[in-house]
Amino acid sequence: MRLNVETSQFAHGVSLLYGIAVGVTFLERLATINDYGADGWFSWSFIRFERDHLKLYRRFSSEAAVVFGERGMQALFCLGLFGDAIMMASHVKSDLYFVGLCATLVTLLGIQARSGLAGDGAQQMAVVIAVSLAIAFNPWSNATVSELGLIFIAAQSSLSYFVSGVAKVISPYWRSGTALQSVLATSA
């Protein structure tokens, strides 16, 4: 079943915004790939200790070292960029779009698996949007599922910004302006 023109255009716009956001993330991480090296801030030899209690990481420790080491992360970020480019250049609901979207999702989940922490709101939102797009705009979904997917993405985005705004309104740290000064003073 084909999407109506408005839904297709809106889905394409959401996909482009998502693609730009994750593309920037992957490029930023590639630009700082040395941080994932043996002497870097995010060295796997250090980060892995957070996961030593998990059987999966212990069982496959040498494989995890390859996948989550500097070269493995570089390959993962390149996969994400390649998938991102394919997704943004393809028509929504095409096989290529779905393959590209899945590549970005695998990259985001790889980042999440490596970090072990919840990540920031943007990282979590990227995963939510990727999963939603994959469900709503795979080649086998119908128009109703696609429209519901867009409604979910809009509602989830609105809710996340609303909750963030409420948290800032009730926080004396934000109301005083101290938080904004701290954010603007960072070099990152």
Side-chain angles (χ1 to χ4, degrees):
M1 181 177 274
R2 291 186 51 85
L3 296 177
N4 67 44
V5 174
E6 290 174 355
T7 302
S8 182
Q9 288 174 339
F10 190 70
H12 185 67
V14 169
S15 295
L16 286 177
L17 289 174
Y18 163 79
I20 291 167
V22 297
V24 167
T25 297
F26 300 152
L27 285 171
E28 285 175 343
R29 294 192 183 227
L30 277 171
T32 59
I33 197 66
N34 291 336
D35 289 345
Y36 295 88
D39 297 327
W41 289 97
F42 307 117
S43 167
W44 179 247
S45 60
F46 175 72
I47 297 287
R48 72 178 173 86
F49 289 115
E50 294 176 357
R51 284 164 208 69
D52 276 349
H53 66 283
L54 300 174
K55 286 183 181 180
L56 183 65
Y57 286 100
R58 277 197 318 239
R59 176 178 269 171
F60 299 104
S61 62
S62 60
E63 292 85 355
V66 171
V67 171
F68 294 131
E70 181 178 4
R71 295 295 153 227
M73 293 307 291
Q74 186 175 31
L76 188 64
F77 300 145
C78 287
L79 170 70
L81 276 175
F82 184 68
D84 191 39
I86 289 172
M87 182 201 71
M88 290 197 312
S90 302
H91 178 59
V92 174
K93 290 191 68 77
S94 70
D95 291 341
L96 275 177
Y97 174 85
F98 187 66
V99 167
L101 180 60
C102 286
T104 65
L105 180 57
V106 164
T107 302
L108 290 169
L109 293 175
I111 293 169
Q112 185 68 38
R114 187 188 193 278
S115 71
L117 303 173
D120 60 11
Q123 182 179 346
Q124 294 170 1
M125 196 64 181
V127 172
V128 168
I129 291 174
V131 169
S132 301
L133 288 172
I135 292 169
F137 296 102
N138 66 64
W140 311 280
S141 64
N142 63 35
T144 302
V145 170
S146 297
E147 289 176 8
L148 288 173
L150 286 176
I151 291 168
F152 174 79
I153 291 169
Q156 182 65 35
S157 300
S158 298
L159 180 64
S160 68
Y161 280 107
F162 176 76
V163 169
S164 175
V166 168
K168 287 173 177 66
V169 165
I170 63 174
S171 168
Y173 190 65
W174 277 97
R175 281 196 321 267
S176 70
T178 307
L180 186 59
Q181 290 173 348
S182 297
V183 169
L184 294 176
T186 60
S187 62

